[in-house]
Amino acid sequence: MRLINSFLVTALTLLTACQSTPTVTVPQPPVVQVPLGPPPKPRIALVLGGGAARGFAHVGVIRVLEQEKIPIDMVVGTSVGSLIGAIYASDLSSFELEWTAFQLEKDDLFDFGVVNAVVGMGFAKGDKLEAWVKSHIKTANIENLKLPFTAVAADLNWGYKVALDKGSVARAIRASAAIPGVFQPVKHQGKILVDGGVVDNIPISVARAKGADIVIAVDISGNLGNTNITNLLDVSLQATNIMFALNVEQAKKDADVLITPAGIGDIGMLDFSQKKRCMQAGIDTTKQAMPAIRRAIEAWVSARTRPTMPVPAPAR
């Protein structure tokens, strides 16, 4: 009996196996990754702040950015930042920028005069500054510079920020650098203009308004301390320095990368004897900032780059 039962179980098992549907494995076609084009590139703005003679630090910043092949798509500058920015925008060469900037001396910019101070609206007229720019920047109009450029000034009558992105390069720089009480205000484009640092010494907002995706800003307005104030000119310069530094505090928060050249806070606004020291500070601080700059660019590109699409290969 047991033998019969065992035979029946075995037969039933074989019969069930024969009736089950066999599993068929269908080979899948290979997947081809189809690229969706090159990754997008951000528009990078270099924003150069005001700070008079400390502006030679901007030269060092630009040298490192050029050496590291960081593409600059526009330059926006206030005061000395507009001067250095325009020189660079005219040639796109840090070597030429350094050569030109280091020819600059205080006497090339300041046409001081007793008459100016007594009957005018500043110690200096600003004619020498404008003439120097005309002789060293051969491109007459902003719109013809090799790189989009904006100089920022302040409307003395109404307190508005004025972005100068067309017209005379020399006149725009003169207006942007017309430190109140030091230089006479500048009549330009139907307005009376003074140093842009009065309203925005680090004009990141102007760069954003012009389409900048990433802003690298350079602040040279630090260290307000000055115990060597002995005359009316010193008073004007120190008051300006305070004004510049205070309006930077809020503006700088909108920078993607903020470069603050170290060790130049004790350099006076009219001390042109420290050019190399300022430039070296710009070089050193920008080298330290390079990882942050590259991270900002990579993050922007990554956020806007879709992964490649898997597409089945055509059947053979």
Side-chain angles (χ1 to χ4, degrees), residues 153-213:
D155 186 317
L156 183 61
N157 292 119
W158 305 105
Y160 298 142
K161 187 187 310 180
V162 179
L164 302 170
D165 56 5
K166 59 178 61 69
S168 169
V169 174
R171 196 74 171 176
I173 293 171
R174 177 177 176 176
S176 180
I179 301 171
V182 178
F183 286 103
Q184 291 188 13
V186 179
K187 292 182 180 180
H188 185 50
Q189 297 184 355
K191 302 177 180 67
I192 299 178
L193 304 176
V194 294
D195 195 304
V198 171
V199 290
D200 195 350
N201 197 45
I202 186 167
I204 296 167
S205 62
V206 174
R208 296 289 187 198
K210 292 189 170 296
D213 299 308

Side-chain angles (χ1 to χ4, degrees), residues 12 27 43 60 74 77 79 101 135 198 213 240 280 283 299:
L12 183 61
R43 293 194 74 200
M74 70 177 80
S79 198
S135 66
V198 171
D213 299 308
T240 299
Q280 190 60 50
I283 290 172

Side-chain angles (χ1 to χ4, degrees), residues 117-147:
V118 174
V119 301
M121 290 187 285
F123 288 95
K125 291 188 295 183
D127 290 342
K128 290 182 73 173
L129 167 57
E130 187 169 353
W132 190 92
V133 173
K134 286 181 178 178
S135 66
H136 288 81
I137 299 179
K138 301 306 180 183
T139 305
N141 292 321
I142 293 174
E143 53 267 41
N144 295 326
L145 292 170
K146 294 180 180 179
L147 193 67

